[in-house]
Structure formats: structure tokens, C-alpha cells
Amino acid sequence: GKDIIAIDKNNTNHYCSQECRIAHAKEQGTIITTCAHCGKEIEKNKYAYDRAKIHFCNQECYDAYRINKKETYAEISHYLRTSEEYDKWRADIMARDNYKCTKCNSKDSLHVHHINQLYDICEKYNFDVDTIINSEEFLDRTNGITLCTDCHALEHPYISRDKKGRFIRRSKTTPQK
């Protein structure tokens, strides 16, 4: 048998080479969908279609979409994080974790981290604030852990921070210190 050198995202199909993975993807057929940014009709192979929640016709449309969503997300996440519901959730998580980091036991500069990231929750509910606040994930106590600034930074290595440790922007390729 050949060594496995290509595995699909869900770890369900194993291929002897990248070429075999691509050939298998082509055999699955294509699906017509629309670009999430410009609305243009595009054709995706079934493999690529199944791997992504949303689809784009090119990198420029993907980048433009993310910029627009990031602005929306910045406004929405600020509102969510300043809500009474969030304050209660945050206090409950910290009390449950005995006001210390669940990774290193530090009691300094504590944050509450959404395990299922807040951005993903916002995206799932189409950035609708009322739906997000009333969702199970947003205020689910099992979806939060207390972390110190340093341990929290390790959970988000591709995000830059200001002097107070608040997240300010994503880096495309390099983890930020």
C-alpha cells in the first residue's frame, strides 16, 4: 500500500497524492451557487462546495466580504459585550472558575473566552443581535472559560492586541505576540 499523503478536511477520505484527491473531487461533480459578495453565479466542485459555508468567485470578493463583515462584527460584538446578559454570563463563568485562569491558575488580568468563538456565533445567526443574545451558544456556560491575558492570546494567535490586551485586528499569516 501507498503512504497516505493527502487527507480531506473531515478526515474521512485518504489519498495517495494531492493529484488523487483532486481527481476524486472532480469525479463528485459540480454545483452551481452564487458568490456571497457580488452575487455572480459560480460553479464549484462538490468537494469544495461541501467544505465551505459560503462561496466566492475569487479572492477579491472574499476579501471585500470579510472587510464588510468585520465592520459589522466590530459594531455587533461591542454591543453584545456591553449587554447586561453578557455581564451576567461573564460573572458566572469567572465565579465557576474560582476567579483564576483555567490554564495556568493566574488570578491577574482575567478574560472570559468563548470556546465557540463569538464571530462564529454571530455569523451563524446572520449578525442579528436579538437572535444572538437569545441563542444557546452566546450565553451557554459550557461555551466559556476564564483565561489570563497570556493564555487568552494563545487561543487567538492571529489577532493583534492593543496595550490593554483588547483584540484590534486579524493578521492573515503571522501569529501576533
Side-chain angles (χ1 to χ4, degrees), residues 21-68:
R21 187 195 61 75
I22 292 168
H24 181 256
K26 288 180 180 176
E27 290 171 6
Q28 300 301 305
T30 59
I31 293 175
I32 304 296
T33 188
T34 55
C35 175
H37 176 68
C38 71
K40 176 182 168 184
E41 193 172 88
I42 54 177
E43 185 175 349
K44 293 281 184 177
N45 68 50
K46 185 170 180 342
Y47 178 80
Y49 180 84
D50 290 345
R51 286 183 55 216
K53 295 179 195 173
I54 51 178
H55 307 279
F56 303 94
C57 54
N58 56 41
Q59 185 67 40
E60 291 78 24
C61 277
Y62 172 77
D63 292 341
Y65 176 87
R66 294 297 289 183
I67 288 168
N68 290 340

Side-chain angles (χ1 to χ4, degrees), residues 5-23:
I5 59 171
I7 300 173
D8 71 4
K9 182 180 179 183
N10 297 323
N11 240 0
T12 55
N13 293 317
H14 303 266
Y15 304 95
C16 62
S17 67
Q18 192 71 358
E19 292 78 22
C20 284
R21 187 195 61 75
I22 292 168

Side-chain angles (χ1 to χ4, degrees), residues 13 19 39 52 56 62 68 79 86 88 131 136 142 174-175 177:
N13 293 317
E19 292 78 22
F56 303 94
Y62 172 77
N68 290 340
Y79 177 80
Y86 182 85
K88 182 178 178 343
T131 307
E136 286 184 36
T142 64
T174 315
K177 302 276 181 191

Side-chain angles (χ1 to χ4, degrees), residues 77-130:
S77 67
H78 174 74
Y79 177 80
L80 293 170
R81 287 185 173 117
T82 56
S83 69
E84 289 180 27
E85 295 90 347
Y86 182 85
D87 284 344
K88 182 178 178 343
W89 175 81
R90 186 177 180 280
D92 288 348
I93 300 298
M94 285 206 179
R96 181 200 64 201
D97 295 338
N98 297 314
Y99 301 96
K100 61 183 178 180
C101 177
T102 56
K103 303 272 183 177
C104 72
N105 293 320
S106 172
K107 293 186 176 192
D108 299 325
S109 302
L110 298 177
H111 301 239
V112 174
H113 170 68
H114 273 98
I115 297 164
N116 177 11
Q117 292 186 24
L118 185 56
Y119 184 88
D120 295 336
I121 295 168
C122 290
E123 193 170 53
K124 178 179 179 179
Y125 295 104
N126 204 26
F127 298 88
D128 180 68
V129 173
D130 293 329

